[in-house]
Amino acid sequence: MTVESCKRMVGKVVVLTGGGGGIARGVARAFASEGAKMVLTDIFQGGMDVTKAELEEEFGTEVLTLIVDGAEEEQVEKALAKTVEHFGQIDVLINSAQTSASGLTLIQHSKEDFDKAIYSGLYATFFFMKHAFPYLRETEGSVINFASGAGLSGNPGQSSYGAAKEAIRGLSRVAANEWGVYNINVNVVAPLVMTDKLAAWGEENPEMFEKNIKSIPLGRYGDAQQDIGRVCVFLGSDDARYLTGDTIMIQGGLGMRP
């Protein structure tokens, strides 16, 4: 089912890290369909170019792309300054960028493997939040950070990834407490999303894929735009102004907890 746009983000500027990736592309499409102007950051230009072309052609939105290594604080600070120079403001910051050495057990991890997850995820989120704060204070904006069921459930083979994602949740709760006085809300989403890699794995492992599907109460993986993106739109809109410091499990019921 496709949800109709309400144009809740007209006049808003959204910064999305990891903007060349498949999940981020779906989130970007959700915001663009609501009228937002988009700033995409990534370490590779190619994926951002694909996203930019889609958003401009299908939604007529203005898109700025910036090559940024989120682990480098100076690059982050300059990118946010360029954003404000170009668009005049920042209303929503979405930290979705993350790489990791998934598939390695805890004892197989090297320090370099661990650093990969911590720098691309935790440090990048910290730097973007830190340097976006002055602009978000002006707009009474929103921050949406990405966590994962891998950290919440302790998935085997994802120790560095899970550690980075849980650290991001802790950082988000502190910011929610510190920034509430400025009417900046900070929330976290933990999505379960159908991706190209997951689909390919499902074709190679149909029995395991079907077993995984059956474990999800709603019986399917989430769609990056319609399921994950639209929840992010809600969190970045005025409809969620009284919601902060929370983790929203967008997992079709799989992540339900007391």
Side-chain angles (χ1 to χ4, degrees):
M1 181 179 68
T2 300
V3 180
E4 293 296 324
S5 169
C6 299
K7 297 299 180 184
R8 287 177 288 178
M9 303 304 293
V10 172
K12 304 290 187 181
V13 176
V14 179
V15 176
L16 173 61
T17 74
I23 297 174
R25 188 171 300 150
V27 173
R29 289 175 59 84
F31 275 93
S33 73
E34 294 279 354
K37 298 175 182 178
M38 299 300 302
V39 180
L40 310 177
T41 77
D42 209 316
I43 56 175
F44 302 112
Q45 187 67 46
M48 290 194 294
D49 286 342
V50 173
T51 306
K52 175 182 171 71
E54 283 186 10
L55 302 185
E56 291 178 340
E57 180 178 348
E58 295 186 39
F59 306 109
T61 193
E62 186 176 357
V63 182
L64 175 67
T65 64
L66 299 169
I67 293 288
V68 182
D69 182 349
E72 299 294 333
E73 184 171 8
E74 186 176 352
Q75 290 187 31
V76 172
E77 185 175 13
K78 288 182 177 179
L80 293 172
K82 286 181 181 178
T83 295
V84 174
E85 181 181 351
H86 185 85
F87 283 124
Q89 66 195 64
I90 296 173
D91 298 279
V92 181
L93 169 65
I94 308 172
N95 288 297
S96 71
Q98 174 80 62
T99 60
S100 70
S102 292
L104 299 178
T105 66
L106 188 151
I107 63 172
Q108 289 174 330
H109 269 74
S110 66
K111 182 178 183 298
E112 289 72 24
D113 293 328
F114 224 85
D115 284 347
K116 179 187 294 186
I118 297 301
Y119 277 90
S120 67
L122 176 59
Y123 269 113
T125 298
F126 165 61
F127 291 146
F128 269 97
M129 290 176 67
K130 175 182 176 181
H131 292 289
F133 171 73
Y135 309 120
L136 293 170
R137 183 171 58 183
E138 291 181 6
T139 59
E140 297 187 348
S142 301
V143 178
I144 304 164
N145 293 329
F146 271 58
S148 171
L152 287 154
S153 300
N155 292 358
Q158 294 189 300
S159 58
S160 59
Y161 179 75
K165 289 304 188 183
E166 284 297 275
I168 288 170
R169 289 214 305 146
L171 178 69
S172 302
R173 290 192 295 269
V174 172
N177 274 306
E178 293 180 350
W179 295 359
V181 68
Y182 304 108
N183 291 318
I184 301 171
N185 60 332
V186 183
N187 289 292
V188 178
V189 295
L192 184 65
V193 194
M194 174 57 73
T195 63
D196 291 340
K197 288 184 178 180
L198 180 59
W201 178 83
E203 291 180 1
E204 295 174 0
N205 304 274
E207 292 184 5
M208 183 65 72
F209 184 80
E210 186 63 24
K211 181 180 179 181
N212 288 350
I213 287 289
K214 289 180 179 179
S215 71
I216 304 169
L218 287 182
R220 64 180 178 85
Y221 286 96
D223 177 80
Q225 178 179 347
Q226 295 298 332
D227 296 316
I228 315 308
R230 296 205 62 80
V231 172
C232 290
V233 168
F234 163 70
L235 292 174
S237 75
D238 289 341
D239 295 336
R241 293 315 303 171
Y242 199 57
L243 182 63
T244 195
D246 279 325
T247 297
I248 312 300
M249 307 297 292
I250 321 174
Q251 300 187 4
L254 185 64
M256 68 173 72
R257 283 171 169 74

